[in-house]
């Protein structure tokens, strides 16, 4: 248990979470090597909300620190957009991020951020994260809505993270969360839904048992609920939906 507690403490320090956060963490040496999911763009926050940013994401966190994450952001895009001046309000943007294990330290690699995609309410974005050889590969493709057809991708060398090798990664933690900043987080009043969610592990060792621990619950800052769990294969857990809700 100590390695898990250390990982959790580091994750909270690195990306302080102010709303619901849920994770599956291997303690037997198995690792997560792929996520595939579709995120549904929620309604805009109330018009009175002028502080942020608010982030909604699923991603993978190596045991040595850092994170690989497709992120849907309100007031969050910091780079260029592939579809500037869209024919809808610029409320949410989808970006791909990679933070190195020593994020914030002198001499640390730069945070990676892909170009963003402006997306409208109700749009669906097919997203993926996978470990391929010595790189992490992310992608986001808008499959419905006014920005349909827009896509971004990002490749991150495994040197961004500690204790990886060409034969395997060290990502024992898969996580989904709403990560809210600013003075108005209590105004969060909408659900955020991920559908067709696949989490694939490096082996079947403990995978089904760990995924079966995913049950509807609250951490005091919001709720997470699950539907349609099954095993796609011995290494891959599937949910028809995972939903994050305000408290």
């Amino acid at each position: 248990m100590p390695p898990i507690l250390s990982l959790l403490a580091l994750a909270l320090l690195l990306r302080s979470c102010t709303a619901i956060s849920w994770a599956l963490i291997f303690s037997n040496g198995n690792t997560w090597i792929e996520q595939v999911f579709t995120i549904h763009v929620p309604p805009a926050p109330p018009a009175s909300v002028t502080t942020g940013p608010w982030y909604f994401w699923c991603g993978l966190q190596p045991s040595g620190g850092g994170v690989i994450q497709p992120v849907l952001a309100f007031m969050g895009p910091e780079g260029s957009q592939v579809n500037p001046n869209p024919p809808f309000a610029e409320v949410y943007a989808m970006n791909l991020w990679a933070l190195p294990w020593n994020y914030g330290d002198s001499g640390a690699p730069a945070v990676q951020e892909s170009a963003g995609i402006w997306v409208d309410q109700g749009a669906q974005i097919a997203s993926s994260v996978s470990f391929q050889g010595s790189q992490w590969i992310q992608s986001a493709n808008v499959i419905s809505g006014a920005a349909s057809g827009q896509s971004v991708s990002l490749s991150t060398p495994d040197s961004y993270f500690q204790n990886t090798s060409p034969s395997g990664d060290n990502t024992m933690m898969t996580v989904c969360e709403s990560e809210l900043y600013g003075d108005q987080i209590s105004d969060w009043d909408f659900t955020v839904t991920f559908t067709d969610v696949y989490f694939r592990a490096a082996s079947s060792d403990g995978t089904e048992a760990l995924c079966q621990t995913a049950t509807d619950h609250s951490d005091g800052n919001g709720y997470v609920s699950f539907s349609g769990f099954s095993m796609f294969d011995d290494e891959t857990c599937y949910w028809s939906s995972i939903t994050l809700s305000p408290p």
Side-chain angles (χ1 to χ4, degrees):
M1 293 302 292
I4 296 177
L5 295 176
S6 175
L7 173 62
L8 287 171
L10 181 58
L12 291 173
L13 176 64
L14 178 65
R15 301 283 286 178
S16 59
C17 177
T18 53
I20 181 70
S21 181
W22 164 79
L24 292 174
I25 306 171
F26 280 117
S27 59
N28 62 355
N30 202 357
T31 60
W32 298 106
I33 59 174
E34 186 174 27
Q35 289 184 337
V36 177
F37 57 86
T38 297
I39 185 169
H40 296 241
V41 179
S48 59
V49 176
T50 58
T51 62
W54 292 4
Y55 299 121
F56 304 98
W57 58 277
C58 290
L60 295 171
Q61 293 190 257
S63 60
V67 64
I68 311 105
Q69 53 184 167
V71 179
L72 182 68
F74 164 68
M75 297 182 64
E78 299 175 12
S80 61
Q81 310 302 316
V82 298
N83 58 338
N85 304 312
F88 51 83
E90 297 176 359
V91 177
Y92 289 105
M94 186 72 182
N95 293 79
L96 308 173
W97 291 74
L99 278 68
W101 71 273
N102 52 351
Y103 168 68
D105 290 352
S106 176
V111 171
Q112 287 186 308
E113 179 187 3
S114 74
I117 309 171
W118 290 116
V119 287
D120 54 327
Q121 179 181 340
Q124 298 180 36
I125 310 165
S127 305
S128 67
V129 180
S130 64
F131 186 70
Q132 300 179 23
S134 60
Q135 293 191 93
W136 285 99
I137 307 297
Q138 298 185 65
S139 68
N141 301 278
V142 184
I143 58 175
S144 72
S148 183
Q150 299 287 354
S151 64
V152 289
S153 61
L154 185 67
S155 299
T156 303
D158 63 2
S159 58
Y160 258 53
F161 310 105
Q162 289 185 311
N163 304 322
T164 57
S165 71
S167 61
D169 74 322
N170 70 341
T171 309
M172 56 192 289
M173 183 176 184
T174 185
V175 59
C176 297
E177 70 177 47
S178 59
E179 182 182 351
L180 312 185
Y181 296 92
D183 300 328
Q184 297 169 284
I185 60 176
S186 62
D187 291 340
W188 177 30
D189 65 352
F190 52 83
T191 61
V192 179
T193 300
F194 305 83
T195 59
D196 293 323
V197 180
Y198 298 83
F199 293 163
R200 184 162 67 97
S203 78
S204 62
D205 185 17
T207 301
E208 183 172 3
L210 180 59
C211 289
Q212 287 177 335
T213 67
T215 57
D216 298 358
H217 68 276
S218 171
D219 67 358
N221 298 305
Y223 298 87
V224 59
S225 57
F226 305 86
S227 65
F229 170 71
S230 64
M231 293 299 295
F232 178 75
D233 56 33
D234 289 345
E235 294 83 29
T236 309
C237 304
Y238 169 83
W239 292 267
S240 59
S241 69
I242 297 176
T243 301
L244 307 178
S245 307

